[in-house]
Amino acid sequence: MILPIMSRELNITLQNMEVYHMATIEKIQDDILSLSDSEKLRLSKWLSELEARVWDQEIVDDFSQGGRANALLERVKSDYAAGKCSRWE
């Protein structure tokens, strides 16, 4: 009987965290709207650069040992070595 009580308490805690998270996001959105146009542009550029860095890291992670795309990369290398495909010029 302890497990359902713990589960309910955990669910309530997670719901509270979600409400807090949404309140935080809404606060950030309100703060962004209060920025000057030049500050919004600066923030937009920063977010774009951040997104590019995150994307680059995802690519590195995907093609690293054990990454999601590593098996595909190994197959391409194998096919190339076997002469099944050629270099793009």
Side-chain angles (χ1 to χ4, degrees):
M1 289 305 212
I2 294 174
L3 188 58
I5 293 170
M6 288 175 62
S7 178
R8 189 179 83 223
E9 289 173 353
L10 179 60
N11 187 38
I12 291 169
T13 301
L14 291 174
Q15 288 174 351
N16 290 343
M17 288 173 54
E18 185 175 318
V19 168
Y20 174 76
H21 176 72
M22 289 307 298
T24 303
I25 295 294
E26 289 170 356
K27 171 77 169 96
I28 292 169
Q29 289 172 334
D30 288 344
D31 289 347
I32 290 171
L33 290 174
S34 71
L35 295 173
S36 69
D37 288 345
S38 63
E39 290 172 318
K40 286 178 197 164
L41 180 60
R42 185 173 160 208
L43 176 61
S44 177
K45 287 178 182 179
W46 180 83
L47 286 170
S48 180
E49 291 168 0
L50 175 62
E51 182 179 18
R53 286 193 307 268
V54 168
W55 175 256
D56 289 347
Q57 188 59 51
E58 287 177 7
I59 297 294
V60 168
D61 293 347
D62 284 348
F63 286 95
S64 294
Q65 188 69 25
R68 296 184 316 171
N70 191 50
L72 174 63
L73 180 60
E74 293 306 316
R75 182 174 172 198
V76 169
K77 287 178 181 179
S78 175
D79 286 352
Y80 182 76
K84 294 181 181 178
C85 53
S86 59
R87 188 176 210 99
W88 246 349
E89 298 296 333

